Amino acid sequence: MVSKFLVSHFIKDYNNTTDEKIRERYGYLGGIVGILINSLLFLIKLFTGITTKSISIIADGFNNLSDLISSIITMVGFKLAGKPADEEHPFGHGRVEYLSALIVSVIVILVGLQFIKVSFNRIVNPKPVIFNMVAFILILISIFAKIWLSQFNKYLGKSINSNALVASSLDARGDVFTSFCVAISLILSKWTSFPIDGYIGILISLFIVYSGFSLIKDTLNPLLGEPPDPQLVEKIKKGVLKYEYISGVHDLIIHNYGPGKCMASIHAEIPQDISVVTIHEVIDKAERELSSELNIYLVIHMDPIDTDCKFTKAVKMEVENIISEIPEVKSMHDFRITGEGENRIVIFDLIIEGKGNFKQDDEKILKEKINFEIQKLHPNYTTVITLDKSFTVL
C-alpha cells in the first residue's frame, strides 16, 4: 500500500499517533503531497483548458488551485495546533486545526461561486471546444491522481483522527466526479455545438459549492460542541466503574480542545460512610490512570450515597418502578432521603431523553406527575426533582 509506505518512510515512530509531534508530521506529509499533486494538476488543466478553449477544464483546474491553497493552510494549521499551552490558551491550540479546515471550506465555496458566474457567461456567449486526445488523456490521468490522493488523505486523517485531513479527502473525492464530467464534456464536444461545456462548468461549480458547505458543517460541529465519541464515553464510564467503592456514574461531560485533546468530568457514586482519605486515594488513582490510558484530562466528582439503608433502598425501588412507566426518563441518580417519620423529602435527579425539546411547562407537568405517584404511596412525602440533560448523546 503506497499510503502506508510513504508514512512509514517519512514519519519516524508513525504508530504513536497520540504524540503531538507525530500528528504534526502526518499533517506535513499530507500537505506536501497535496501541494505537489495539485500544483501539477492545476498547470496541466490550465494548459489543457486554454488549448481546448474549455471553461469547464479551466474551472476544474482552479478547483485544484484551491486544493493547493487548502494544503498550505492545512500545514499551517497543524503547525499552529501543535504549539504548547500558554497563559492565554491553557488547553493548547488544538482547535486551530478546526479553524484551518473552516478556512479551506470557505475557499472552496468562493471558487465554486466564481465559476458559476463564468460558466453561465459561457452558456450565454458560447464558444466552440476543441477536442484534443492528449488533453483527454491528461484529464483521465488527473482522475486517477485524485482517486489516490483522496485515499491517501483519508488514510492519514483516520490514522490521527484529523477533521482537516478527512475534509481534504472528501474534497479530493469530489474532484474525481468533477474531472469525470469534464472528460465527458470534452468527448461530447466532438459531435455537438450545444454549449455543454458551460452547463458542465455550472454543474462542477455547484458541486464545489456543495462540498464547501458540507465541509463547513463538519468543521463547525466540533467548534460549536458536538456529542463526543460514543466509544470514548463508554470507555470512561466502564473505566471509572472498575475502581473499588464506585457503584455508579453520571453527568459525564467531555470538552474537545482539538484532536486528541479532551477534558472530561464525571460524577461517581460512593458509599457515604467510607473514609474521605480512603476514597480520595481511589479517586486520585482513577483520575491519574484513566487520564493516561485514554489520553484525556479526567476530573471525578464524588457523590456520597446511602448504600446500606434498607428503608432508602425500598423507597428508591418504588420510585424506579414509577419512572419506568415514563418513556422520557432515561435514568435516575443521586437518590437520597432527608427528614424523619412520615414527613420526609425524597431527592433525586433524572436524565431526560431529548431535554433540549422540553419546555418549562413540560418539566413542571413531569415533576407533578412523579410527585403525585409517590404521594399515592406516601401521602406526607415531598419531592425535590432535578431534570438533567445528557451531554454524551444526540
Side-chain angles (χ1 to χ4, degrees):
M1 186 179 180
V2 179
S3 299
K4 191 170 184 178
F5 174 82
L6 289 174
V7 169
S8 62
H9 280 72
F10 288 96
I11 302 177
K12 185 180 179 181
D13 196 20
Y14 65 93
N15 285 321
N16 186 19
T17 55
T18 58
D19 184 273
E20 291 297 326
K21 293 297 182 183
I22 301 300
R23 283 183 53 82
E24 193 174 303
R25 289 168 192 160
Y26 268 86
Y28 285 164
L29 180 60
I32 290 170
V33 171
I35 289 171
L36 292 175
I37 291 181
N38 285 306
S39 296
L40 182 61
L41 293 181
F42 168 67
L43 293 175
I44 288 175
K45 291 178 183 178
L46 181 64
F47 171 77
T48 304
I50 293 173
T51 302
T52 60
K53 298 181 180 180
S54 169
I55 191 62
S56 60
I57 295 179
I58 295 175
D60 201 24
F62 273 88
N63 184 35
N64 292 138
L65 179 62
S66 74
D67 294 338
L68 166 62
I69 297 172
S70 299
S71 296
I72 295 173
I73 292 174
T74 298
M75 289 181 63
V76 173
F78 269 95
K79 180 64 176 177
L80 295 176
K83 289 178 61 180
D86 53 34
E87 291 184 2
E88 295 182 347
H89 308 92
F91 292 100
H93 300 77
R95 285 178 176 170
V96 172
E97 189 175 328
Y98 299 142
L99 293 176
S100 68
L102 187 61
I103 294 173
V104 169
S105 306
V106 173
I107 292 174
V108 170
I109 291 174
L110 291 177
V111 170
L113 292 175
Q114 177 61 30
F115 274 98
I116 287 177
K117 177 182 176 182
V118 175
S119 299
F120 181 77
N121 185 60
R122 175 56 62 92
I123 294 173
V124 176
N125 302 295
K127 294 180 181 179
V129 175
I130 304 171
F131 178 82
N132 184 299
M133 181 55 71
V134 175
F136 180 72
I137 292 174
L138 290 175
I139 295 298
L140 292 181
I141 292 174
S142 75
I143 290 175
F144 287 107
K146 276 294 184 176
I147 290 175
W148 179 83
L149 185 60
S150 175
Q151 293 300 316
F152 179 65
N153 282 329
K154 182 179 179 180
Y155 176 78
L156 296 181
K158 294 294 184 183
S159 297
I160 62 172
N161 190 29
S162 167
N163 280 356
L165 287 171
V166 172
S168 296
S169 170
L170 293 173
D171 187 37
R173 190 171 64 185
D175 292 343
V176 173
F177 170 77
T178 59
S179 295
F180 179 76
C181 291
V182 168
I184 297 298
S185 171
L186 197 59
I187 292 176
L188 293 178
S189 67
K190 292 180 61 177
W191 297 290
T192 179
S193 59
F194 184 76
I196 189 172
D197 182 55
Y199 286 102
I200 293 295
I202 286 182
L203 180 64
I204 292 171
S205 303
L206 289 173
F207 186 83
I208 293 172
V209 172
Y210 172 77
S211 298
F213 278 111
S214 297
L215 296 179
I216 283 180
K217 179 184 176 183
D218 291 340
T219 52
L220 276 180
N221 281 341
L223 288 173
L224 294 176
E226 62 182 352
D229 180 4
Q231 291 184 344
L232 177 59
V233 170
E234 195 64 20
K235 286 179 181 178
I236 294 174
K237 290 182 176 180
K238 287 185 176 179
V240 175
L241 285 172
K242 75 181 182 181
Y243 287 88
E244 190 178 8
Y245 302 118
I246 298 177
S247 59
V249 293
H250 55 269
D251 288 351
L252 172 61
I253 300 177
I254 300 176
H255 298 282
N256 183 347
Y257 290 95
K261 297 178 181 178
C262 289
M263 176 179 178
S265 64
I266 192 169
H267 289 217
E269 296 179 350
I270 60 167
Q272 66 180 16
D273 56 354
I274 195 171
S275 164
V276 174
V277 175
T278 300
I279 193 60
H280 186 267
E281 291 178 355
V282 172
I283 294 298
D284 270 358
K285 182 181 180 183
E287 289 176 339
R288 184 174 60 255
E289 292 180 348
L290 290 175
S291 292
S292 175
E293 178 185 337
L294 301 177
N295 192 33
I296 60 175
Y297 180 72
L298 179 63
V299 177
I300 302 176
H301 171 79
M302 297 181 291
D303 281 340
I305 60 171
D306 190 344
T307 58
D308 296 324
C309 178
K310 293 182 179 180
F311 174 76
T312 300
K313 287 182 178 180
V315 176
K316 183 180 180 181
M317 186 174 295
E318 292 173 344
V319 176
E320 287 176 340
N321 289 334
I322 291 171
I323 65 174
S324 67
E325 302 296 326
I326 305 174
E328 294 88 356
V329 178
K330 292 187 61 182
S331 62
M332 177 177 68
H333 57 268
D334 283 352
F335 186 91
R336 55 201 184 277
I337 299 175
T338 62
E340 297 180 357
E342 288 299 316
N343 298 311
R344 296 180 186 262
I345 302 175
V346 182
I347 307 168
F348 55 90
D349 295 1
L350 298 176
I351 297 292
I352 301 300
E353 182 78 50
K355 186 176 183 293
N357 299 322
F358 253 55
K359 297 179 181 178
Q360 190 171 0
D361 289 343
D362 297 327
E363 294 187 4
K364 182 180 178 181
I365 292 171
L366 180 59
K367 290 179 181 179
E368 289 176 348
K369 179 180 179 180
I370 296 173
N371 185 67
F372 175 77
E373 293 297 329
I374 292 175
Q375 288 186 337
K376 283 169 61 176
L377 301 172
H378 305 280
N380 295 324
Y381 283 16
T382 57
T383 58
V384 176
I385 304 172
T386 300
L387 302 185
D388 288 342
K389 177 181 178 180
S390 173
F391 293 96
T392 58
V393 295
L394 289 172

